[in-house]
Amino acid sequence: MTITLANREFDISKFTRRDFLSNSLRASVGLLGTGSVLSALGCATRRPSLVPRPTRRVLADLHCHSVINDWNRQTPLGLRFPALVWLAEKFFNRTGMEWEDCHRAGVDVICVAHFNVFDEWLSMPTDPNPEAPVNTFRMMDQLQEQLSGPARPYATLAKNATMLQKLTSIPKTSADYRIAVVHTVEGGHALGGSIDPLEQLARRGVAMLDVTHFFSKDIASAANSYPFFPDGNNRRPHLGLSEFGRDVIHEMERLGMIVDVTHATATAIDDIIKVATRPLAVSHASSRTLSEHPYAVYDDQVQQIVSDGGIMGVIIDPYLLGNYTTASLAEKEGSLRDVVRQVLHLVKVCGTHKHVGIGSDFSGYIGAPRDMNRISQIHRLSNMLESEFGNSDVVEDIMANNAMEFLKTNWKTGV
Ligand SMILES: [Zn+2]
């Protein structure tokens, strides 16, 4: 089966061979550094604890990698070495989500981030990889197959903002209640070096695209989020937004796709703020005041983004929320307290709670807080926020309403 993009035909039934092994080994060494195998095992055996399905808003997650494992399993590496992918999942993917459990917990919205590791940080025969858009469409197909198959009783794809509105209006006590699922893309590498795929992504309802990720890819300089992802470009964080990056943002705005600035360096975020004419999202990050990482966003940038109608989603990864010296220490000591601290700080900095939300990044091979490793355990976070704010309406806004409102107002793609 072939698909036409940028006047080129791609065979989507086959993948380009990559230099998988040497790079996988390098990445594995890095990931091993994030924690001990025993702690990974301990985490993997934790069971989700569920609460009865609530009637209030529970969570609109701005960033979650719900299908990454399924995707990895059917890549050339996964098909050739299934044990390797199984091991990676078992030991390195410390967080996760299950549709049925999330449905039972009353989750409202999940923005699924499509990300193909092979198109970004494993060596490419060509970079950018021209087949990356095709792989992205395949990931979207895979999610949709899941939603019309085993996940059908629990979740439904919201193809546009109107559908999101309809789905989230169904009371959770109704048999028709489903989690609303939204397509998003993580990393402009998915465009394969051209703005042309944006039109098709928009038609298929991609609400939001994170313009940069671990590597700059000549779009916007990428912050070094983990020391073991070295990129020539992120050693030059002041490159900011490239000319191609500017074209990407203009085209996204024309199509009504939300620009996500997570992973961009401070210089690139400044550049994007200057170029953007529509509200921006920081889907899954933290404030640099509490977390001295290049990945975290400066408070004045958060203030600018929210005063322009944007949203700040807080990631649930202690390493990126606090000042832990190593990722393994963050995993040992980090907890939902780190998330609460960030939320409180951001509400103060923004002068309102109305632009703060949650972007868990769960199932995205991040480090887990020691008291939560499943999305269905999200009530643990809301309970902690309730005791801080003493106001369940404020907590409901932060957990869900703010993100939902942001999406309903700014998401213009889809048919
Ligand atoms: Zn990310």
Side-chain angles (χ1 to χ4, degrees):
M1 185 180 174
T2 58
I3 188 166
T4 306
L5 273 175
N7 297 324
R8 286 190 54 188
E9 283 213 326
F10 295 97
D11 183 352
I12 64 168
S13 60
K14 70 174 174 60
F15 285 88
T16 309
R17 284 174 65 84
R18 314 256 192 268
D19 185 9
F20 289 132
L21 290 176
S22 64
N23 292 283
S24 301
L25 187 67
R26 204 175 58 194
S28 301
V29 168
L31 285 164
L32 273 169
T34 67
S36 71
V37 167
L38 281 176
S39 75
L41 273 172
C43 189
T45 52
R46 273 187 249 161
R47 300 298 308 156
S49 65
L50 301 178
V51 286
R53 214 165 67 194
T55 48
R56 297 195 69 145
R57 300 280 180 217
V58 171
L59 175 70
D61 192 341
L62 286 161
H63 192 89
C64 182
H65 290 277
S66 317
V67 287
I68 202 164
N69 291 325
D70 299 327
W71 172 257
N72 289 343
R73 270 181 231 129
Q74 56 94 67
T75 56
L77 181 69
L79 292 170
R80 195 161 171 201
F81 304 106
L84 197 65
V85 175
W86 182 86
L87 280 169
E89 256 179 67
K90 200 79 187 156
F91 293 109
F92 305 128
N93 204 6
R94 318 282 170 83
T95 56
M97 62 83 71
E98 293 75 26
W99 293 113
E100 185 178 357
D101 291 346
C102 287
H103 184 263
R104 203 174 309 148
V107 170
D108 301 273
V109 179
I110 291 192
C111 294
V112 174
H114 297 293
F115 164 64
N116 179 21
V117 66
F118 302 102
D119 288 331
E120 192 193 20
W121 53 271
L122 299 191
S123 294
M124 294 292 106
T126 54
D127 192 9
N129 178 19
E131 289 191 37
V134 174
N135 290 335
T136 307
F137 294 127
R138 285 171 60 100
M139 287 187 276
M140 294 170 70
D141 291 342
Q142 193 179 37
L143 171 63
Q144 287 176 220
E145 279 161 24
Q146 207 176 89
L147 295 175
S148 51
R152 195 186 176 122
Y154 317 114
T156 300
L157 183 73
K159 293 178 183 163
N160 50 48
T162 313
M163 212 170 150
L164 178 71
Q165 171 70 45
K166 272 192 198 145
L167 280 167
T168 53
S169 306
I170 300 169
K172 288 180 194 163
T173 44
S174 159
D176 294 330
Y177 152 63
R178 296 287 183 279
I179 300 163
V181 179
V182 179
H183 281 305
T184 68
V185 174
E186 178 152 44
H189 61 272
L191 302 176
S194 161
I195 60 165
D196 296 349
L198 280 169
E199 193 142 0
Q200 201 174 337
L201 290 168
R203 260 203 311 275
R204 288 204 46 180
V206 169
M208 187 157 63
L209 183 141
D210 201 344
V211 290
T212 196
H213 193 228
F214 291 129
F215 303 129
S216 300
K217 305 286 179 183
D218 190 35
I219 298 177
S221 45
N224 183 231
S225 36
Y226 293 97
F228 46 83
F229 286 119
D231 174 29
N233 280 331
N234 64 32
R235 287 186 209 113
R236 286 172 288 171
H238 301 300
L239 283 175
L241 189 67
S242 71
E243 229 167 276
F244 172 58
R246 263 193 294 279
D247 293 345
V248 168
I249 285 168
H250 290 319
E251 181 66 356
M252 285 176 71
E253 291 197 332
R254 186 184 74 79
L255 295 164
M257 197 181 291
I258 297 162
V259 176
D260 184 356
V261 302
T262 310
H263 287 279
T265 62
T267 311
I269 293 178
D270 270 343
D271 289 350
I272 295 170
I273 289 172
K274 274 182 216 142
V275 166
T277 59
R278 298 185 60 226
L280 298 169
V282 186
S283 68
H284 58 295
S286 57
S287 157
R288 203 177 296 199
T289 303
L290 301 182
S291 164
E292 286 179 41
H293 290 281
Y295 182 92
V297 185
Y298 285 113
D299 287 346
D300 62 329
Q301 293 181 318
V302 175
Q303 286 168 333
Q304 184 65 55
I305 288 168
V306 306
S307 71
D308 292 340
I311 188 117
M312 176 73 199
V314 178
I315 193 171
I316 308 184
D317 176 354
Y319 180 64
L320 297 170
L321 292 169
N323 281 324
Y324 299 98
T325 46
T326 62
S328 57
L329 183 66
E331 202 156 30
K332 201 166 148 219
E333 304 287 334
S335 71
L336 290 172
R337 282 302 323 162
D338 297 293
V339 184
V340 171
R341 202 175 292 122
Q342 283 276 353
V343 169
L344 291 171
H345 175 75
L346 286 163
V347 167
K348 191 169 126 193
V349 162
C350 297
T352 168
H353 71 275
K354 285 286 190 183
H355 295 264
V356 178
I358 301 294
S360 71
D361 209 6
F362 267 34
S363 208
Y365 287 74
I366 59 166
R370 55 192 158 83
D371 42 0
M372 177 179 169
N373 72 343
R374 284 292 179 274
I375 291 292
S376 49
Q377 298 162 337
I378 196 68
H379 60 283
R380 296 179 186 175
L381 176 61
S382 11
N383 289 346
M384 287 168 80
L385 288 171
E386 284 223 27
S387 56
E388 291 292 340
F389 286 100
N391 182 330
S392 55
D393 291 337
V394 169
V395 175
E396 195 177 332
D397 285 351
I398 293 166
M399 298 303 296
N401 292 331
N402 297 343
M404 281 163 55
E405 201 48 46
F406 175 78
L407 287 169
K408 285 172 191 168
T409 311
N410 299 296
W411 173 20
K412 309 284 184 198
T413 62
V415 284

